[in-house]
Amino acid sequence: MLVIGLVLIPAIAWPLLSKDVQFNSVSGKIVQWASMAGGLIFIPFIMHFLSEIKLLNTENASPIKESLKDTLVTVKALALVITLIIGGMVTVEGYSSIYWGKQNFENTKKLAQLFEARTFVNSKGDTLFYHLLKPLNFDPKKKYPLVVSLPYGGQPGTDKIRQMEGAAAAELLSTDINRKKYPAFLFVPNCPSGSGWGGIPNYPSVDTLVYKAISALDTEPGIDVKRRYVTGISRGGYGSWHFICTRPDMFAAAIPVCGGDDPKLASRIVNVAVWAFHGAQDKNVPVSGSRDMIKAMKKAGGNPKYTEFQHEGHNIWYQVSITPGLWDWLFAQKLK
């Protein structure tokens, strides 16, 4: 336990101080493997426990009642089973984390290959990296909607590809079948380290820089400025609410998933089409965040849509993505 602790402490603490993406990636793997190794700690405990039983049997001269012996055997058996179950669960969880981390990264690399990597620099020199995917069979004479897919974050801010992880709507809408059914520009911004999309109190935001980058695309052919949409999960859900509350003139619709914002701002978005989602059992983002915004919008005269999954927690994207009529509803929205 001491050895594993000595490995985990620097592996977790160093990335908080370092901006070296490669080193931080290695550090993340060390944390995953060390955590999985922690699930095997029960093995030396069992070995030590068995050795002490042998000593007890040979050194203890006091007679033990048969009933007590049976009780001890039962207790030992239960302790062994419980230890094996808990240790096995921790080990499986550690391996699962490693496996899905690799799987998600492979999917993200494939997603990034479809997109064009771009850089926006404002008049002050502030830089925003983002990825843009044009509609399938793009015709510059036509007008297409723009979907802003906000990643939920958590990846190194300087890793342009890993930053795309969590841009769930972009991943869904970039499939061949959906690019044919819903031709649109897909916009995925990168979030610098220590920043967010807004909506979270006392947390730095790059919202204004993203708005500038979106506006800069208006000079390019094909984007319908009256059909710009924003969506995101978790931190991206907060950002989706924040984007429409601060720039209701820019976005015709939003799909905030597991997010929230200040209900006092709801009066600004009564004319924005909103379909929000949340899990009633969400332990990461309180469901009150969505409930309060929806309630405030309705009180202000808006007509938002809201779907709450009663028995679900934070990971509800799959249920959201297959909600009947969701994407037809989104692409039908237009600024008045």
Side-chain angles (χ1 to χ4, degrees):
M1 291 174 68
L2 177 62
V3 170
I4 290 175
L6 292 175
V7 172
L8 281 174
I9 290 173
I12 293 173
W14 183 253
L16 300 176
L17 305 174
S18 172
K19 294 184 178 180
D20 188 328
V21 175
Q22 186 174 2
F23 179 83
N24 290 347
S25 177
V26 173
S27 179
K29 292 179 180 179
I30 292 174
V31 170
Q32 290 177 330
W33 283 106
S35 298
M36 188 172 71
L40 303 176
I41 289 177
F42 69 91
I43 294 177
F45 269 109
I46 292 173
M47 294 172 65
H48 182 69
F49 181 59
L50 292 175
S51 67
E52 288 199 334
I53 290 177
K54 292 180 180 178
L55 290 173
L56 180 65
N57 291 335
T58 57
E59 296 178 359
N60 190 355
S62 302
I64 301 176
K65 293 181 180 180
E66 289 300 323
S67 60
L68 182 57
K69 283 185 176 181
D70 293 339
T71 301
L72 287 174
V73 170
T74 303
V75 171
K76 288 188 287 185
L78 285 174
L80 177 61
V81 170
I82 292 172
T83 305
L84 287 171
I85 291 174
I86 294 176
M89 288 172 62
V90 173
T91 304
V92 170
E93 185 176 348
Y95 175 78
S96 177
S97 176
I98 294 172
Y99 173 80
W100 285 113
K102 291 180 179 179
Q103 193 67 31
N104 288 338
F105 185 44
E106 290 301 317
N107 293 338
T108 302
K109 287 194 291 186
K110 293 178 182 178
L111 179 66
Q113 291 175 356
L114 298 173
F115 285 70
E116 176 186 353
R118 293 192 177 192
T119 302
F120 170 77
V121 182
N122 67 7
S123 57
K124 298 179 181 179
D126 299 322
T127 301
L128 177 77
F129 299 105
Y130 68 93
H131 288 82
L132 185 72
L133 179 64
K134 292 183 178 181
L136 195 65
N137 302 319
F138 173 65
D139 183 350
K141 296 180 181 180
K142 294 182 178 180
K143 292 290 185 180
Y144 302 89
L146 172 73
V147 180
V148 178
S149 183
L150 300 177
Y152 48 64
Q155 303 300 339
T158 53
D159 190 327
K160 299 181 182 64
I161 294 180
R162 289 294 297 272
Q163 272 276 308
M164 294 186 74
E165 284 188 23
E171 186 174 351
L172 177 72
L173 296 173
S174 62
T175 60
D176 288 342
I177 186 170
N178 282 326
R179 291 186 72 187
K180 292 176 182 178
K181 189 174 183 180
Y182 306 111
F185 285 88
L186 303 180
F187 179 96
V188 182
N190 281 27
C191 192
S193 298
S195 300
W197 309 118
I200 302 176
N202 304 316
Y203 197 76
S205 171
V206 293
D207 55 338
T208 302
L209 191 58
V210 177
Y211 303 152
K212 293 284 187 181
I214 293 172
S215 296
L217 293 175
D218 294 347
T219 58
E220 297 188 18
I223 295 179
D224 186 348
V225 297
K226 292 186 176 295
R227 299 176 66 202
R228 287 185 291 217
Y229 315 127
V230 60
T231 182
I233 309 168
S234 195
R235 181 163 64 169
Y238 278 101
S240 299
W241 280 113
H242 182 73
F243 275 31
I244 58 176
C245 285
T246 52
R247 289 299 304 270
D249 59 310
M250 176 173 279
F251 300 99
I255 302 177
V257 180
C258 303
D261 206 340
D262 186 351
K264 295 178 181 178
L265 304 176
S267 59
R268 302 179 181 179
I269 56 175
V270 293
N271 294 320
V272 178
V274 173
W275 192 340
F277 294 83
H278 218 120
Q281 310 302 320
D282 195 330
K283 304 300 182 184
N284 297 61
V285 178
V287 68
S288 58
S290 292
R291 290 175 179 173
D292 292 347
M293 288 301 295
I294 294 297
K295 182 179 179 180
M297 279 190 70
K298 290 182 176 179
K299 185 176 180 180
N303 187 32
K305 297 168 71 70
Y306 179 54
T307 299
E308 186 174 298
F309 300 102
Q310 294 301 316
H311 305 292
E312 298 294 336
H314 194 61
N315 298 321
I316 61 171
W317 173 248
Y318 177 72
Q319 290 91 325
V320 173
S321 66
I322 62 172
T323 297
L326 175 65
W327 302 109
D328 290 336
W329 169 87
L330 178 68
F331 288 99
Q333 306 307 316
K334 194 171 186 178
L335 279 174
K336 299 178 180 178

